[in-house]
Amino acid sequence: MLLENLSYVEVEAYLVEKDIILVPIGSVEQHSPYGLIGTDFITAEAIAREVGRRMDILVAPTITYGMSQHHSAFKGTVTLSPITLINLTKDIVNSLLNQGFRRIIFINGHGGNINAVKTAFEQLKYENKPGIYEIISWFLLPEIQEMERDIFEDKNGFHATPSEVSITKFLRPKAFETKPKEKKKIEKPDGYFPLSGEEFKKLYPDGRMESAPWLAKEKYGKLILEEAVRIIIEKVKEIAKKKLF
């Protein structure tokens, strides 16, 4: 059920029965030489669309750009400022609320988005906007993290992970025909956040954060994607049952 494929008449009919919509959000940022610049929105979109398909609920067009300023020293990264992402999130949620949606769930593929999106939600509540709006980051789900440990042991890391690279490899295998396969040393520098783009690149010269993306396999991507969909379906069911104030 993709919002982009419906007419307004069909959306009106949907809202008679349901008030829930999923909004995939990711980023356009480097994922080392091993991964795709679109990794975060590709994974979030695939998960959200499969959840929507199985649950027969609407999925909004993907917010592809996110808050990626710490990756800005790497070519191809396109970032929103935190303030821009806050305002963008507010405008999207306000638009959906004005249409009659009351349960708006962001399916997130990028850690840098979390603070800004949650701040937008807090501001909307401060402005007494009705509804339930939440963000679910698939990569932070405890079940997913346990699966990653089982498959990749201590080599998943925090960015350009073999987990997310596996999902994109499963979804877009042809894009990986030109990507390197050799192994590199996993560095664990003493860093902190927030970081500027140049600071990040000094700590993580090839964009990886303690990860081994060369371990990515399509078969792992299929398993991780399926588990994320399964868990998020249960979370969406819980949100659908919550009382509106």
Side-chain angles (χ1 to χ4, degrees), residues 119-133:
T119 298
F121 291 169
E122 291 287 348
Q123 185 62 30
L124 286 161
K125 282 300 181 183
Y126 179 78
E127 296 169 6
N128 292 315
K129 299 294 183 178
I132 297 170
Y133 12 96

Side-chain angles (χ1 to χ4, degrees), residues 181-200:
K181 297 177 176 62
E182 73 272 12
K183 298 178 182 180
K184 291 187 177 182
K185 186 177 179 181
I186 299 177
E187 303 284 355
K188 296 187 178 182
D190 185 17
Y192 55 84
F193 275 84
L195 291 168
S196 70
E198 291 300 330
E199 289 170 338
F200 183 96

Side-chain angles (χ1 to χ4, degrees), residues 12-23:
E12 287 177 345
Y14 175 87
L15 284 166
V16 171
E17 302 293 333
K18 299 175 183 177
D19 63 0
I20 192 166
I21 189 167
L22 306 180
V23 183

